Amino acid sequence: ENITRAYSLNRMAVNLGFSIGPVVGGLLAAINYKWLFYVDGFTCIAAGLVFAAYFYKKKPRNPVKDQPIVPAPSIVKAKSPFRDVSYLAFACLTAGFGIVFFQLFNTLPLYYREGYGLSESAIGWLIGLNGFIVFLVEMPLVYALGEKYSLRSIVAIGTILSGAAYLLFNVTEGIFILLLSMLILSVAEILVMPYLTSYTANRAHVTVRGKYMGVYGMAYSVAFIIAPALGTFLISYSGFTLLWYVMGGISILVAVGFIWNMKEIHVKPEIATFVEDKQVELPAS
């Protein structure tokens, strides 16, 4: 019943690292790029050793005993997410959101450099601000919103905000706009990513949940491929102005798609699972 909050806690840890990583990376790159790769390699190897030690004797919990699952009848019949047409559409919409959001990692630093002439360290601080905001705000915001609003409304608003964060660059200029845009983009991430994850986990029967989560991860992988290719193509074709307009347009289309596709979802994703258009509360464990 705490699945959304659990995923948010995991994301909080990731974003704590993400808030530090770009800042340290920017400082190291300003000194010498080779130090960036040395430090990155060392921290990745160290993390791998810690994970290996932690999970070596870790026994998995039994989700069937710990948390009753009431999956939708149509999902019970689907032994594979590739037979679930509605979920495949959801995955495509997730990829669409990813294409917009992942400009953060690709074209946005280019814009900071070419549009404002910022140094590597300054760009690192700006990108790291995203992780810091998410780290501080996501858990309390998810806790508050999950009790009051429908999941599809939260996701749709977050998706539109992701496009609005980029459209600001076409409206006005200044360092303040860079900070405001990053704030809006960070809030958009909080309103979308943890809820898409919990939607996927709740939608799938426990026996095929891993497959559904795999398709969900594939959607982001596809977006991570398309985002830089599309972004740099639009920049070379007509500049950053066109890029930000296109990202805004995609965000609106994807938000409408989420509202249409997620119409069976109502409220409290962290304490309920769903059967068609009816909410079924889970019994207390």
Side-chain angles (χ1 to χ4, degrees):
E1 67 270 21
N2 289 316
I3 194 164
T4 302
R5 296 170 189 168
Y7 283 122
S8 294
L9 181 60
N10 178 259
R11 282 173 40 76
M12 186 175 76
V14 172
N15 278 284
L16 176 60
F18 187 73
S19 65
I20 299 171
V23 176
V24 175
L27 293 174
L28 291 172
I31 300 172
N32 192 316
Y33 269 95
K34 71 176 183 180
W35 284 108
L36 174 65
F37 301 121
Y38 284 141
V39 173
D40 194 23
F42 172 78
T43 54
C44 286
I45 292 171
L49 294 174
V50 170
F51 277 129
Y54 178 79
F55 287 112
Y56 180 65
K57 294 184 178 180
K58 195 77 172 176
K59 295 182 178 180
R61 295 177 63 190
N62 188 335
V64 177
K65 293 181 179 179
D66 293 338
Q67 180 177 320
I69 304 283
V70 187
S74 61
I75 306 307
V76 174
K77 299 176 184 178
K79 296 181 180 179
S80 168
F82 295 104
R83 298 180 184 178
D84 185 351
V85 177
S86 178
Y87 184 73
L88 290 178
F90 168 84
C92 290
L93 292 169
T94 300
F97 167 76
I99 290 171
V100 176
F101 179 78
F102 290 152
Q103 300 304 318
L104 167 68
F105 306 112
N106 301 292
T107 57
L108 194 56
L110 293 177
Y111 179 71
Y112 290 157
R113 171 68 107 178
E114 297 183 16
Y116 287 83
L118 298 183
S119 65
E120 287 92 342
S121 59
I123 293 173
W125 279 101
L126 267 174
I127 300 297
L129 181 62
N130 166 259
F132 185 68
I133 293 172
V134 175
F135 171 73
L136 289 180
V137 177
E138 181 167 309
M139 285 294 288
L141 191 59
V142 165
Y143 182 88
L145 293 178
E147 300 290 332
K148 298 179 180 179
Y149 303 101
S150 69
L151 187 147
R152 66 174 181 174
S153 298
I154 296 172
V155 170
I157 292 173
T159 303
I160 291 175
L161 285 178
S162 66
Y166 298 121
L167 286 174
L168 276 178
F169 298 139
N170 289 345
V171 176
T172 185
E173 298 178 352
I175 297 299
F176 173 75
I177 294 301
L178 300 185
L179 296 172
L180 178 61
S181 173
M182 187 58 69
L183 173 62
I184 295 174
L185 192 60
S186 301
V187 172
E189 178 184 351
I190 294 170
L191 296 181
V192 177
M193 288 190 173
Y195 289 98
L196 294 186
T197 306
S198 63
Y199 173 84
T200 298
N202 277 317
R203 181 180 181 86
H205 188 274
V206 64
T207 58
V208 292
R209 180 174 289 169
K211 295 180 181 179
Y212 273 75
M213 295 301 292
V215 172
Y216 176 70
M218 286 172 60
Y220 280 125
S221 296
V222 170
F224 215 87
I225 295 170
I226 296 176
L230 177 61
T232 52
F233 169 77
L234 292 173
I235 293 171
S236 62
Y237 179 76
S238 185
F240 286 100
T241 300
L242 176 63
L243 171 64
W244 305 140
Y245 278 131
V246 170
M247 292 303 112
I250 292 176
S251 69
I252 294 173
L253 293 175
V254 171
V256 173
F258 277 133
I259 292 174
W260 166 78
N261 181 264
M262 302 171 71
K263 59 186 175 183
E264 75 271 20
I265 298 300
H266 294 293
V267 295
K268 301 181 181 179
E270 56 270 55
I271 62 171
T273 188
F274 311 95
V275 178
E276 293 181 331
D277 277 340
K278 298 178 181 179
Q279 176 178 306
V280 179
E281 292 193 359
L282 294 171
S285 57

